[in-house]
Amino acid sequence: MKFYFDKSFPTSFDCSRLPVIPYGMSRVYCFPKAIEGAYADGLTLEIVPFSDSMDSWIATFPNRGWARGSEPAVFSMPSPSQALVIAFGEAYLVNTNDPSQCTLLDIIPVVGAMAIPERQMVVLYDFIYLEAIGPEGSRWVSPRLATDGLRDVGYGDGLIVGEGWNAAHDKWLPFEVRPEDGVATLNGYDLD
């Protein structure tokens, strides 16, 4: 069972992927609505808050078919109790101390993500856009960067960089996006 836990930021919780819900576990939540006592076939995580006053709990995230075959991931966030969960192409911002505080993010399907600790954000991307997520939720969405496909997305020299497929030119073209505001300073999609 593959599972990726990015700990670029300090956390106040741990988590692990489970094949099934353990027998007798009383705190089970089904997302995105954080319905206690319900579950969904899909990704099952055990969340273990480091607080002595908090018991561990189970989070289930449904497979609604957005991204078949994608590997699930959890990203730590600038707020130590927050987790950014990516499951089957959907992204959820979850408060690990209070599961009822959960936001299903708009970007679908999520095909990649990267933490940028110096900017206090995690950047998600689909096939055409980037979206920066901070502890408050979505910070910005980039302009369209591709016809249908982003690749080699990374961070360097103070910019988010990568390539986007431009169907009109029948090739991959570079892009650069400022992390502070999502403005594209170089955008191969906009070429005539």
Side-chain angles (χ1 to χ4, degrees):
M1 259 188 318
K2 291 186 176 183
F3 171 68
Y4 177 70
F5 187 10
D6 182 288
K7 296 181 182 180
S8 295
F9 301 98
T11 66
S12 63
F13 68 94
D14 197 7
C15 73
S16 58
R17 185 174 183 183
L18 301 175
V20 295
I21 297 171
Y23 179 75
M25 182 57 108
S26 61
R27 295 187 66 210
V28 178
Y29 296 85
C30 179
F31 290 90
K33 296 190 185 263
I35 300 170
E36 189 169 3
Y39 67 93
D41 285 336
L43 175 64
T44 301
L45 299 175
E46 180 177 23
I47 307 294
V48 183
F50 293 155
S51 168
D52 290 338
S53 64
M54 293 287 302
D55 291 330
S56 64
W57 54 278
I58 302 297
T60 64
F61 300 89
N63 181 353
R64 297 194 278 196
W66 286 110
R68 298 189 199 297
S70 64
E71 292 183 19
V74 173
F75 281 77
S76 59
M77 293 295 293
S79 175
S81 65
Q82 278 185 323
L84 179 64
V85 178
I86 301 170
F88 308 105
E90 293 183 300
Y92 307 80
L93 196 56
V94 178
N95 181 332
T96 61
N97 289 334
D98 182 358
S100 68
Q101 294 180 12
C102 174
T103 303
L104 175 61
L105 301 172
D106 290 335
I107 187 167
I108 296 175
V110 175
V111 297
M114 68 176 170
I116 307 178
E118 70 186 65
R119 296 293 184 156
Q120 298 290 292
M121 67 172 64
V122 174
V123 175
L124 305 174
Y125 53 96
D126 60 12
F127 296 111
I128 57 178
Y129 298 103
L130 304 177
E131 184 170 0
I133 310 299
E136 69 284 357
S138 180
R139 288 188 179 168
W140 51 256
V141 176
S142 72
R144 187 172 185 155
L145 300 170
T147 305
D148 188 22
L150 299 176
R151 71 177 186 185
D152 301 331
V153 178
Y155 180 73
D157 297 326
L159 293 169
I160 302 166
V161 298
E163 293 181 325
W165 179 252
N166 185 311
H169 292 273
D170 195 31
K171 63 182 175 180
W172 293 94
L173 295 171
F175 66 80
E176 296 177 349
V177 174
R178 295 191 317 223
E180 60 269 16
D181 57 12
V183 170
T185 57
L186 175 64
N187 189 347
Y189 177 74
D190 284 339
L191 295 177
D192 294 323

